[in-house]
Protein backbone atom coordinates (compact mmCIF):
# COMPACT_ATOMS: atom_id res chain seq x y z
CA UNK A 1 0.00 0.00 0.00
CA UNK A 2 1.37 3.44 -0.82
CA UNK A 3 0.38 6.67 0.83
CA UNK A 4 0.23 10.40 0.13
CA UNK A 5 1.83 12.84 2.47
CA UNK A 6 -0.37 15.73 3.56
CA UNK A 7 2.46 17.07 5.68
CA UNK A 8 5.94 18.21 4.69
CA UNK A 9 8.49 15.37 4.93
CA UNK A 10 10.87 17.67 6.80
CA UNK A 11 8.98 20.21 8.92
CA UNK A 12 5.55 18.48 8.92
CA UNK A 13 3.80 21.70 7.84
CA UNK A 14 0.59 21.37 5.80
CA UNK A 15 1.63 24.40 3.70
CA UNK A 16 2.25 22.26 0.59
CA UNK A 17 1.48 23.52 -2.93
CA UNK A 18 1.46 21.46 -6.12
CA UNK A 19 4.29 22.13 -8.59
CA UNK A 20 3.76 19.37 -11.17
CA UNK A 21 1.67 16.21 -11.51
CA UNK A 22 2.95 13.33 -13.68
CA UNK A 23 -0.26 11.38 -13.06
CA UNK A 24 0.07 7.60 -12.60
CA UNK A 25 3.65 6.41 -13.27
CA UNK A 26 5.36 2.99 -13.10
CA UNK A 27 8.28 2.46 -10.69
CA UNK A 28 11.41 3.78 -12.43
CA UNK A 29 13.78 0.99 -11.34
CA UNK A 30 11.26 -1.88 -11.60
CA UNK A 31 12.61 -3.43 -14.79
CA UNK A 32 10.44 -6.26 -16.14
CA UNK A 33 11.35 -9.79 -17.12
CA UNK A 34 9.62 -11.47 -20.06
CA UNK A 35 7.24 -13.22 -17.64
CA UNK A 36 6.33 -9.94 -15.89
CA UNK A 37 5.14 -8.38 -19.15
CA UNK A 38 1.89 -10.38 -19.00
CA UNK A 39 1.16 -9.31 -15.40
CA UNK A 40 -0.43 -6.02 -14.25
CA UNK A 41 2.31 -3.39 -13.71
CA UNK A 42 1.94 -1.26 -10.55
CA UNK A 43 1.56 2.46 -11.19
CA UNK A 44 1.44 5.16 -8.51
CA UNK A 45 0.62 8.89 -8.61
CA UNK A 46 3.73 11.07 -8.94
CA UNK A 47 2.98 14.59 -7.71
CA UNK A 48 5.61 17.24 -6.96
CA UNK A 49 4.86 19.59 -4.07
CA UNK A 50 6.59 22.61 -2.49
CA UNK A 51 6.56 23.38 1.22
CA UNK A 52 6.08 27.10 1.77
CA UNK A 53 7.21 26.74 5.39
CA UNK A 54 10.66 25.14 4.99
CA UNK A 55 11.18 25.42 1.19
CA UNK A 56 11.54 21.67 0.57
CA UNK A 57 10.40 20.37 -2.83
CA UNK A 58 9.12 16.82 -2.49
CA UNK A 59 6.70 14.28 -3.90
CA UNK A 60 3.37 13.58 -2.23
CA UNK A 61 3.34 9.82 -2.77
CA UNK A 62 5.34 7.44 -0.55
CA UNK A 63 5.86 4.01 -2.12
CA UNK A 64 6.99 1.53 0.61
CA UNK A 65 10.83 1.35 0.64
CA UNK A 66 10.69 -2.45 0.67
CA UNK A 67 8.86 -2.23 -2.68
CA UNK A 68 11.35 0.25 -4.16
CA UNK A 69 14.59 -1.27 -2.85
CA UNK A 70 13.72 -4.95 -3.14
CA UNK A 71 16.15 -7.77 -3.84
CA UNK A 72 15.84 -7.09 -7.59
CA UNK A 73 16.90 -3.43 -7.21
CA UNK A 74 18.98 -3.12 -10.39
CA UNK A 75 21.16 -0.09 -9.62
CA UNK A 76 24.84 -0.97 -9.17
CA UNK A 77 27.11 2.08 -8.83
CA UNK A 78 30.15 0.26 -10.21
CA UNK A 79 28.81 0.23 -13.78
CA UNK A 80 29.65 3.91 -14.10
CA UNK A 81 33.38 4.65 -14.57
CA UNK A 82 32.74 8.38 -14.08
CA UNK A 83 31.04 7.71 -10.74
CA UNK A 84 33.90 5.42 -9.65
CA UNK A 85 36.45 8.16 -10.41
CA UNK A 86 34.33 10.80 -8.66
CA UNK A 87 34.02 8.56 -5.57
CA UNK A 88 37.71 7.65 -5.45
CA UNK A 89 38.71 11.33 -5.52
CA UNK A 90 36.24 12.07 -2.73
CA UNK A 91 37.61 9.24 -0.57
CA UNK A 92 41.27 10.18 -1.06
CA UNK A 93 40.49 13.83 -0.27
CA UNK A 94 38.83 12.80 2.99
CA UNK A 95 41.60 10.40 4.06
CA UNK A 96 44.04 13.26 3.62
CA UNK A 97 42.00 16.13 5.07
CA UNK A 98 40.72 14.15 8.08
CA UNK A 99 43.96 12.20 8.64
CA UNK A 100 41.97 8.96 8.61
CA UNK A 101 43.86 5.82 9.65
CA UNK A 102 43.45 2.31 11.11
CA UNK A 103 41.80 3.72 14.28
CA UNK A 104 39.16 5.66 12.31
CA UNK A 105 35.74 4.45 11.19
CA UNK A 106 34.01 5.50 7.96
CA UNK A 107 30.32 4.59 7.70
CA UNK A 108 28.50 4.84 4.38
CA UNK A 109 24.71 4.97 4.24
CA UNK A 110 23.41 3.38 1.02
CA UNK A 111 26.80 1.84 0.34
CA UNK A 112 25.49 -0.11 -2.70
CA UNK A 113 28.13 -2.54 -4.06
CA UNK A 114 31.08 -1.08 -2.14
CA UNK A 115 32.05 1.26 -5.00
CA UNK A 116 33.10 4.00 -2.53
CA UNK A 117 34.11 2.17 0.65
CA UNK A 118 36.61 -0.01 -1.21
CA UNK A 119 38.82 3.10 -1.53
CA UNK A 120 39.08 3.32 2.27
CA UNK A 121 39.55 -0.43 2.76
CA UNK A 122 42.43 -0.41 0.24
CA UNK A 123 44.16 2.19 2.43
CA UNK A 124 43.62 0.43 5.75
CA UNK A 125 40.77 2.62 7.02
CA UNK A 126 38.02 0.56 8.75
CA UNK A 127 34.55 0.92 7.20
CA UNK A 128 30.95 -0.10 7.67
CA UNK A 129 28.47 -0.13 4.79
CA UNK A 130 24.70 0.00 5.32
CA UNK A 131 22.36 -0.74 2.39
CA UNK A 132 18.93 -2.43 2.20
CA UNK A 133 19.29 -3.68 -1.39
CA UNK A 134 20.28 -7.36 -1.18
CA UNK A 135 21.96 -7.61 -4.58
CA UNK A 136 24.46 -4.73 -4.28
CA UNK A 137 25.02 -5.44 -0.53
CA UNK A 138 26.03 -9.03 -1.31
CA UNK A 139 28.50 -7.83 -3.96
CA UNK A 140 30.07 -5.58 -1.31
CA UNK A 141 30.15 -8.34 1.32
CA UNK A 142 31.73 -10.76 -1.19
CA UNK A 143 34.39 -8.09 -1.82
CA UNK A 144 35.22 -8.10 1.90
CA UNK A 145 33.50 -4.83 2.73
CA UNK A 146 31.72 -5.03 6.12
CA UNK A 147 28.11 -4.31 5.12
CA UNK A 148 24.78 -4.47 6.99
CA UNK A 149 21.90 -5.21 4.60
CA UNK A 150 19.26 -3.05 6.25
CA UNK A 151 17.75 0.43 6.31
CA UNK A 152 19.53 3.10 8.39
CA UNK A 153 17.58 5.01 11.05
CA UNK A 154 18.00 6.39 14.56
CA UNK A 155 17.31 2.94 16.09
CA UNK A 156 20.20 1.34 14.22
CA UNK A 157 22.41 4.34 15.05
CA UNK A 158 21.71 3.86 18.77
CA UNK A 159 22.42 0.12 18.52
CA UNK A 160 25.77 0.76 16.83
CA UNK A 161 26.67 3.37 19.46
CA UNK A 162 25.78 0.88 22.23
CA UNK A 163 28.16 -1.57 20.53
CA UNK A 164 30.86 1.09 20.86
CA UNK A 165 30.85 2.04 17.18
CA UNK A 166 30.79 5.74 16.27
CA UNK A 167 31.84 7.31 13.00
CA UNK A 168 34.60 9.80 12.27
CA UNK A 169 33.04 10.20 8.82
CA UNK A 170 29.51 9.36 7.73
CA UNK A 171 29.03 9.32 3.97
CA UNK A 172 25.78 9.10 2.10
CA UNK A 173 25.58 9.72 -1.65
CA UNK A 174 22.18 9.90 -3.31
CA UNK A 175 20.38 8.47 -0.31
CA UNK A 176 19.03 11.47 1.68
CA UNK A 177 16.45 12.09 -1.06
CA UNK A 178 15.36 8.45 -0.88
CA UNK A 179 14.45 8.02 2.78
CA UNK A 180 10.79 8.02 3.84
CA UNK A 181 11.68 8.74 7.49
CA UNK A 182 13.82 11.79 6.73
CA UNK A 183 13.96 13.13 10.28
CA UNK A 184 14.74 9.69 11.73
CA UNK A 185 17.57 9.31 9.23
CA UNK A 186 19.11 12.70 10.06
CA UNK A 187 18.66 12.07 13.79
CA UNK A 188 20.55 8.80 13.27
CA UNK A 189 23.44 10.66 11.64
CA UNK A 190 23.65 12.91 14.71
CA UNK A 191 23.68 9.89 17.05
CA UNK A 192 26.32 7.91 15.14
CA UNK A 193 28.65 10.84 14.31
CA UNK A 194 31.64 11.43 16.62
CA UNK A 195 31.70 14.88 18.32
CA UNK A 196 34.45 16.05 15.96
CA UNK A 197 33.23 13.94 13.06
CA UNK A 198 31.83 15.07 9.71
CA UNK A 199 28.93 13.95 7.59
CA UNK A 200 29.79 14.13 3.87
CA UNK A 201 26.54 13.75 1.94
CA UNK A 202 25.78 14.17 -1.76
CA UNK A 203 22.30 15.09 -3.00
CA UNK A 204 20.95 16.22 -6.38
CA UNK A 205 20.56 20.02 -6.29
CA UNK A 206 17.01 21.28 -6.87
CA UNK A 207 18.31 24.53 -8.42
CA UNK A 208 20.03 22.56 -11.20
CA UNK A 209 16.89 20.44 -11.62
CA UNK A 210 14.64 23.49 -12.01
CA UNK A 211 17.08 25.66 -14.00
CA UNK A 212 17.97 22.85 -16.46
CA UNK A 213 14.49 21.32 -16.56
CA UNK A 214 15.76 17.93 -15.39
CA UNK A 215 12.21 16.65 -14.82
CA UNK A 216 13.25 13.06 -15.63
CA UNK A 217 15.22 12.92 -12.36
CA UNK A 218 11.86 12.97 -10.58
CA UNK A 219 10.60 9.48 -9.70
CA UNK A 220 9.21 7.61 -6.69
CA UNK A 221 12.67 6.75 -5.26
CA UNK A 222 13.42 10.47 -4.99
CA UNK A 223 11.09 11.68 -2.26
CA UNK A 224 12.86 15.04 -1.71
CA UNK A 225 14.60 17.64 -3.90
CA UNK A 226 16.96 19.72 -1.81
CA UNK A 227 18.03 23.35 -1.68
CA UNK A 228 20.64 24.65 0.80
CA UNK A 229 17.83 26.68 2.37
CA UNK A 230 15.74 23.58 3.08
CA UNK A 231 18.75 21.47 4.13
CA UNK A 232 19.91 24.02 6.69
CA UNK A 233 16.54 23.82 8.44
CA UNK A 234 16.47 20.02 8.28
CA UNK A 235 19.90 19.55 9.92
CA UNK A 236 19.45 22.28 12.55
CA UNK A 237 16.26 20.53 13.69
CA UNK A 238 18.59 17.72 14.84
CA UNK A 239 21.36 19.92 16.32
CA UNK A 240 23.53 19.37 13.26
CA UNK A 241 24.96 22.16 11.15
CA UNK A 242 25.44 22.34 7.39
CA UNK A 243 28.79 24.14 7.53
CA UNK A 244 30.06 23.82 3.97
CA UNK A 245 28.85 22.81 0.54
CA UNK A 246 30.44 22.06 -2.82
CA UNK A 247 28.56 22.18 -6.12
CA UNK A 248 29.17 19.15 -8.34
CA UNK A 249 28.27 18.37 -11.96
CA UNK A 250 27.52 14.68 -11.27
CA UNK A 251 23.97 13.45 -11.90
CA UNK A 252 22.95 16.65 -13.62
CA UNK A 253 24.08 18.87 -10.75
CA UNK A 254 24.54 17.89 -7.10
CA UNK A 255 25.66 19.29 -3.76
CA UNK A 256 28.32 17.77 -1.53
CA UNK A 257 27.29 18.69 2.03
CA UNK A 258 29.63 18.90 5.04
CA UNK A 259 27.65 18.51 8.27
CA UNK A 260 29.03 18.77 11.82
CA UNK A 261 27.86 18.98 15.42
CA UNK A 262 29.09 22.54 15.88
CA UNK A 263 28.06 25.55 13.73
CA UNK A 264 30.87 26.97 11.61
CA UNK A 265 29.33 28.12 8.30
CA UNK A 266 31.80 28.71 5.45
CA UNK A 267 31.83 31.67 3.07
CA UNK A 268 30.71 29.33 0.30
CA UNK A 269 27.69 28.22 2.30
CA UNK A 270 26.67 31.74 3.14
CA UNK A 271 27.00 32.89 -0.48
CA UNK A 272 24.96 29.96 -1.80
CA UNK A 273 22.23 30.78 0.74
CA UNK A 274 22.30 34.39 -0.51
CA UNK A 275 22.12 33.22 -4.15
CA UNK A 276 19.08 31.09 -3.33
CA UNK A 277 17.41 34.01 -1.54
CA UNK A 278 18.04 36.21 -4.60
CA UNK A 279 16.59 33.53 -6.93
CA UNK A 280 13.51 33.08 -4.73
CA UNK A 281 14.17 29.40 -3.93
CA UNK A 282 12.22 29.83 -0.69
CA UNK A 283 9.13 31.00 -2.58
CA UNK A 284 6.55 29.14 -4.65
CA UNK A 285 6.99 31.54 -7.62
CA UNK A 286 10.44 29.96 -8.33
CA UNK A 287 8.73 26.63 -9.11
CA UNK A 288 5.53 28.00 -10.62
CA UNK A 289 6.40 27.75 -14.33
CA UNK A 290 8.26 24.43 -14.09
CA UNK A 291 5.25 22.35 -15.21
CA UNK A 292 4.77 24.50 -18.30
CA UNK A 293 8.48 24.27 -19.19
CA UNK A 294 8.41 20.50 -18.75
CA UNK A 295 5.44 20.27 -21.09
CA UNK A 296 7.29 22.31 -23.71
CA UNK A 297 10.46 20.19 -23.52
CA UNK A 298 8.41 17.02 -23.75
CA UNK A 299 6.52 18.27 -26.82
CA UNK A 300 9.78 19.34 -28.50
CA UNK A 301 11.43 15.97 -27.80
CA UNK A 302 8.48 13.90 -29.03
CA UNK A 303 8.19 16.17 -32.09
CA UNK A 304 11.88 15.65 -32.94
CA UNK A 305 11.59 11.86 -32.61
CA UNK A 306 8.40 11.75 -34.71
CA UNK A 307 10.04 13.89 -37.41
CA UNK A 308 13.07 11.56 -37.53
CA UNK A 309 10.79 8.51 -37.76
CA UNK A 310 8.76 10.13 -40.55
CA UNK A 311 12.07 10.62 -42.35
CA UNK A 312 12.61 6.85 -42.26
CA UNK A 313 15.26 6.91 -39.52
CA UNK A 314 15.76 4.19 -36.90
CA UNK A 315 16.10 5.23 -33.22
CA UNK A 316 17.44 3.38 -30.16
CA UNK A 317 18.24 4.61 -26.63
CA UNK A 318 21.25 4.42 -24.31
CA UNK A 319 20.96 3.97 -20.52
CA UNK A 320 18.23 1.91 -18.84
CA UNK A 321 18.32 4.61 -16.16
CA UNK A 322 15.61 5.39 -13.64
CA UNK A 323 15.45 8.87 -15.15
CA UNK A 324 14.97 7.22 -18.52
CA UNK A 325 11.82 5.55 -17.23
CA UNK A 326 10.36 8.90 -16.20
CA UNK A 327 11.28 10.43 -19.56
CA UNK A 328 9.82 7.73 -21.82
CA UNK A 329 6.63 7.42 -19.78
CA UNK A 330 6.00 11.13 -19.29
CA UNK A 331 6.75 11.99 -22.93
CA UNK A 332 5.05 8.81 -24.21
CA UNK A 333 8.10 7.39 -26.04
CA UNK A 334 7.23 3.80 -26.89
CA UNK A 335 8.27 1.22 -29.44
CA UNK A 336 6.56 3.32 -32.12
CA UNK A 337 9.57 5.62 -31.80
CA UNK A 338 12.41 3.74 -30.07
CA UNK A 339 13.32 0.13 -30.93
CA UNK A 340 15.46 -0.85 -27.90
CA UNK A 341 17.68 0.43 -25.07
CA UNK A 342 21.30 -0.55 -24.40
CA UNK A 343 23.07 -0.50 -21.02
CA UNK A 344 26.40 -1.70 -19.54
CA UNK A 345 24.76 -3.05 -16.39
CA UNK A 346 24.48 -6.82 -16.97
CA UNK A 347 21.71 -7.04 -14.33
CA UNK A 348 19.50 -5.00 -16.69
CA UNK A 349 20.03 -7.09 -19.86
CA UNK A 350 17.12 -9.13 -21.31
CA UNK A 351 14.70 -7.04 -19.22
CA UNK A 352 12.26 -4.34 -20.26
CA UNK A 353 11.87 -0.66 -19.30
CA UNK A 354 9.00 0.15 -16.95
CA UNK A 355 5.74 1.22 -18.57
CA UNK A 356 6.81 1.30 -22.23
CA UNK A 357 8.49 -2.14 -22.11
CA UNK A 358 11.40 -1.17 -24.38
CA UNK A 359 13.78 -4.18 -24.48
CA UNK A 360 17.20 -3.70 -22.84
CA UNK A 361 20.30 -5.14 -24.53
CA UNK A 362 24.09 -5.05 -24.03
CA UNK A 363 25.81 -2.02 -25.60
CA UNK A 364 27.24 -4.17 -28.40
CA UNK A 365 23.78 -4.09 -29.95
CA UNK A 366 24.41 -0.49 -31.05
CA UNK A 367 27.14 -1.50 -33.50
CA UNK A 368 25.21 -4.58 -34.61
CA UNK A 369 22.03 -2.62 -35.41
CA UNK A 370 23.68 0.79 -36.11
CA UNK A 371 20.48 2.80 -35.55
CA UNK A 372 20.54 6.27 -37.17
CA UNK A 373 19.97 7.97 -33.80
CA UNK A 374 20.36 7.10 -30.10
CA UNK A 375 18.32 8.90 -27.45
CA UNK A 376 20.67 9.45 -24.50
CA UNK A 377 18.55 8.55 -21.45
CA UNK A 378 21.72 8.66 -19.29
CA UNK A 379 22.48 12.21 -20.46
CA UNK A 380 24.28 12.93 -17.17
CA UNK A 381 27.13 10.75 -18.49
CA UNK A 382 26.94 12.06 -22.07
CA UNK A 383 30.63 12.86 -22.53
CA UNK A 384 31.82 9.50 -21.20
CA UNK A 385 29.22 7.50 -23.12
CA UNK A 386 29.81 9.25 -26.43
CA UNK A 387 33.55 8.71 -26.13
CA UNK A 388 32.90 5.08 -25.32
CA UNK A 389 30.64 4.80 -28.39
CA UNK A 390 33.08 6.51 -30.79
CA UNK A 391 32.85 3.57 -33.22
CA UNK A 392 29.07 4.00 -33.48
CA UNK A 393 29.58 7.74 -34.14
CA UNK A 394 32.37 7.05 -36.66
CA UNK A 395 29.88 4.93 -38.62
CA UNK A 396 27.52 7.90 -38.81
CA UNK A 397 25.46 7.37 -35.67
CA UNK A 398 24.20 10.45 -33.81
CA UNK A 399 23.03 11.00 -30.24
CA UNK A 400 19.98 12.92 -29.07
CA UNK A 401 20.37 14.72 -25.72
CA UNK A 402 16.85 15.24 -24.26
CA UNK A 403 17.29 17.98 -21.63
CA UNK A 404 17.37 20.91 -21.07
CA UNK A 405 16.78 21.40 -24.82
CA UNK A 406 16.24 18.31 -27.04
CA UNK A 407 19.10 18.37 -29.55
CA UNK A 408 21.10 16.16 -31.89
CA UNK A 409 24.79 15.90 -30.97
CA UNK A 410 26.98 14.34 -33.63
CA UNK A 411 30.44 14.59 -32.12
CA UNK A 412 31.91 14.13 -28.66
CA UNK A 413 33.58 17.53 -28.94
CA UNK A 414 30.28 19.43 -28.78
CA UNK A 415 29.63 21.07 -25.44
CA UNK A 416 26.90 19.22 -23.61
CA UNK A 417 26.41 21.63 -20.73
O1 LIG B 1 19.55 8.35 -7.12
C1 LIG B 1 19.87 7.52 -7.96
C2 LIG B 1 20.79 7.88 -9.07
C3 LIG B 1 21.98 8.60 -8.50
O2 LIG B 1 21.23 6.73 -9.74
C4 LIG B 1 19.34 6.16 -7.90
N1 LIG B 1 17.98 6.28 -7.39
C5 LIG B 1 19.28 5.39 -9.18
C6 LIG B 1 20.17 5.91 -10.21
O3 LIG B 1 19.41 6.70 -11.08
P1 LIG B 1 19.68 6.50 -12.63
O4 LIG B 1 19.45 5.04 -12.94
O5 LIG B 1 18.91 7.51 -13.42
O6 LIG B 1 21.21 6.82 -12.63
P2 LIG B 1 22.34 6.73 -13.65
O7 LIG B 1 23.53 6.35 -12.89
O8 LIG B 1 22.39 8.02 -14.40
O9 LIG B 1 21.98 5.56 -14.69
C7 LIG B 1 22.90 5.41 -15.72
C8 LIG B 1 22.56 4.13 -16.43
O10 LIG B 1 23.40 4.08 -17.57
C9 LIG B 1 22.87 2.92 -15.56
O11 LIG B 1 21.95 1.87 -15.84
C10 LIG B 1 24.25 2.53 -16.04
C11 LIG B 1 24.24 2.94 -17.48
N2 LIG B 1 25.55 3.33 -18.01
C12 LIG B 1 25.99 2.67 -19.14
O12 LIG B 1 25.32 1.78 -19.65
N3 LIG B 1 27.21 3.01 -19.64
C13 LIG B 1 26.27 4.33 -17.41
C14 LIG B 1 27.51 4.68 -17.94
C15 LIG B 1 28.32 5.78 -17.33
C16 LIG B 1 27.99 3.98 -19.09
O13 LIG B 1 29.10 4.25 -19.59
Amino acid sequence: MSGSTLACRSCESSALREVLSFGEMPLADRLLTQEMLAQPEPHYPLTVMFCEHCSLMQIAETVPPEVLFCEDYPYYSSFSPALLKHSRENALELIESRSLNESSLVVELASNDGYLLKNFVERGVPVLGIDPAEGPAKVAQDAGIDTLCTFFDSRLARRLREEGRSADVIMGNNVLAHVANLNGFVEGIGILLEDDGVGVIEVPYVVDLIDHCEFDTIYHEHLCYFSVTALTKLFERHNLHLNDVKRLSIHGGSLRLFVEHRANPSVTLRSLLDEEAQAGVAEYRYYQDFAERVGRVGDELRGLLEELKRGGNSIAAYGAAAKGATLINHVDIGRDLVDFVVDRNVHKHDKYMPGKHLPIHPCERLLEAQPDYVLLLAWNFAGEIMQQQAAYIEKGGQFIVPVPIPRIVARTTETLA
Side-chain angles (χ1 to χ4, degrees):
M1 232 345 242
S2 64
S4 285
T5 170
L6 298 175
C8 174
R9 296 179 183 279
S10 174
C11 72
E12 300 182 0
S13 162
S14 57
L16 295 171
R17 292 183 68 174
E18 184 174 310
V19 170
L20 165 65
S21 172
F22 286 87
E24 297 275 325
M25 290 284 275
L27 296 179
D29 263 325
R30 186 178 180 275
L31 306 183
L32 294 90
T33 61
Q34 184 73 39
E35 298 70 33
M36 292 164 72
L37 293 178
Q39 297 157 16
E41 186 174 359
H43 284 59
Y44 299 87
L46 184 61
T47 312
V48 182
M49 311 295 284
F50 171 72
C51 175
E52 295 197 285
H53 183 253
C54 77
S55 313
L56 180 64
M57 193 170 98
Q58 55 201 279
I59 61 171
E61 191 67 36
T62 301
V63 177
E66 56 277 10
V67 171
L68 289 176
F69 306 106
C70 57
E71 71 236 60
D72 295 336
Y73 183 65
Y75 183 76
Y76 289 71
S77 303
S78 294
F79 282 101
S80 159
L83 186 62
L84 291 175
K85 177 175 180 293
H86 168 84
S87 307
R88 184 165 54 253
E89 288 165 357
N90 186 10
L92 296 182
E93 201 177 281
L94 277 168
I95 291 172
E96 178 73 28
S97 64
R98 309 292 296 187
S99 307
L100 300 177
N101 55 44
E102 64 285 350
S103 60
S104 310
L105 177 64
V106 174
V107 175
E108 185 185 9
L109 312 178
S111 48
N112 200 266
D113 56 10
Y115 74 103
L116 171 63
L117 289 180
K118 69 179 183 183
N119 294 290
F120 294 97
V121 172
E122 285 163 4
R123 288 158 185 83
V125 177
V127 303
L128 175 65
I130 300 172
D131 197 299
E134 289 178 22
K138 183 165 185 332
V139 169
Q141 290 160 345
D142 292 349
I145 294 168
D146 189 7
T147 300
L148 297 175
C149 183
T150 186
F151 288 95
F152 177 75
D153 58 17
S154 53
R155 211 175 31 250
L156 175 60
R158 278 196 194 88
R159 198 190 88 204
L160 290 169
R161 247 0 260 237
E162 285 157 10
E163 292 169 3
R165 299 169 98 172
S166 55
D168 299 284
V169 177
I170 294 179
M171 308 193 77
N173 295 343
N174 297 296
V175 57
L176 195 61
H178 297 62
V179 289
N181 179 6
L182 181 61
N183 281 296
F185 190 88
V186 173
E187 184 190 3
I189 291 173
I191 292 166
L192 189 59
L193 189 65
E194 276 287 356
D195 285 350
D196 59 354
V198 62
V200 184
I201 297 162
E202 286 182 17
V203 296
Y205 188 22
V206 72
V207 168
D208 288 311
L209 189 161
I210 297 291
D211 286 359
H212 307 312
C213 206
E214 297 168 356
F215 68 91
D216 52 347
T217 62
I218 298 171
Y219 39 88
H220 294 101
E221 285 174 40
H222 289 172
L223 297 168
C224 297
Y225 302 82
F226 292 111
S227 62
V228 176
T229 304
L231 285 162
T232 303
K233 294 180 174 129
L234 169 65
F235 286 115
E236 285 177 359
R237 189 176 303 119
H238 300 280
N239 301 316
L240 289 167
H241 299 276
L242 175 53
N243 281 334
D244 198 9
V245 65
K246 183 178 180 183
R247 289 192 73 166
L248 306 167
S249 60
I250 194 103
H251 291 308
S254 298
L255 294 174
R256 179 176 292 159
L257 313 174
F258 296 87
V259 176
E260 295 170 303
H261 283 292
R262 278 175 290 279
N264 180 22
S266 69
V267 170
T268 306
L269 182 92
R270 293 180 195 276
S271 63
L272 208 44
L273 277 172
D274 291 346
E275 272 181 44
E276 289 188 355
Q278 292 299 318
V281 166
E283 294 154 48
Y284 179 69
R285 63 179 170 83
Y286 178 73
Y287 309 84
Q288 208 158 8
D289 69 347
F290 184 61
E292 187 264 328
R293 289 166 52 216
V294 170
R296 210 167 46 234
V297 169
D299 292 345
E300 283 174 22
L301 176 59
R302 188 169 170 77
L304 171 61
L305 298 177
E306 287 172 341
E307 183 189 348
L308 292 173
K309 283 305 276 185
R310 278 196 300 273
N313 294 287
S314 55
I315 306 173
Y318 188 117
K323 64 173 73 67
T326 294
L327 188 85
I328 64 175
N329 283 285
H330 188 59
V331 182
D332 190 18
I333 299 171
R335 294 178 76 159
D336 58 319
L337 294 172
V338 170
D339 299 331
F340 59 86
V341 181
V342 296
D343 195 291
R344 289 182 74 212
N345 180 342
V346 295
H347 303 279
K348 299 188 175 183
H349 295 164
D350 303 323
K351 293 189 176 172
Y352 297 81
M353 292 293 285
K356 294 300 178 185
H357 303 171
L358 302 181
I360 305 166
H361 301 304
C363 297
E364 290 68 28
R365 181 63 68 91
L366 275 196
L367 281 182
E368 291 161 11
Q370 191 61 33
D372 298 304
Y373 294 90
V374 172
L375 175 60
L376 198 45
L377 298 176
W379 48 263
N380 50 316
F381 294 119
E384 172 182 358
I385 290 169
M386 291 179 69
Q387 277 168 7
Q388 180 201 101
Q389 299 300 324
Y392 163 73
I393 294 172
E394 286 308 310
K395 289 171 67 180
Q398 299 188 76
F399 280 88
I400 299 167
V401 178
V403 296
I405 300 163
R407 64 202 187 280
I408 295 169
V409 178
R411 291 176 304 285
T412 54
T413 51
E414 292 192 26
T415 51
L416 295 171

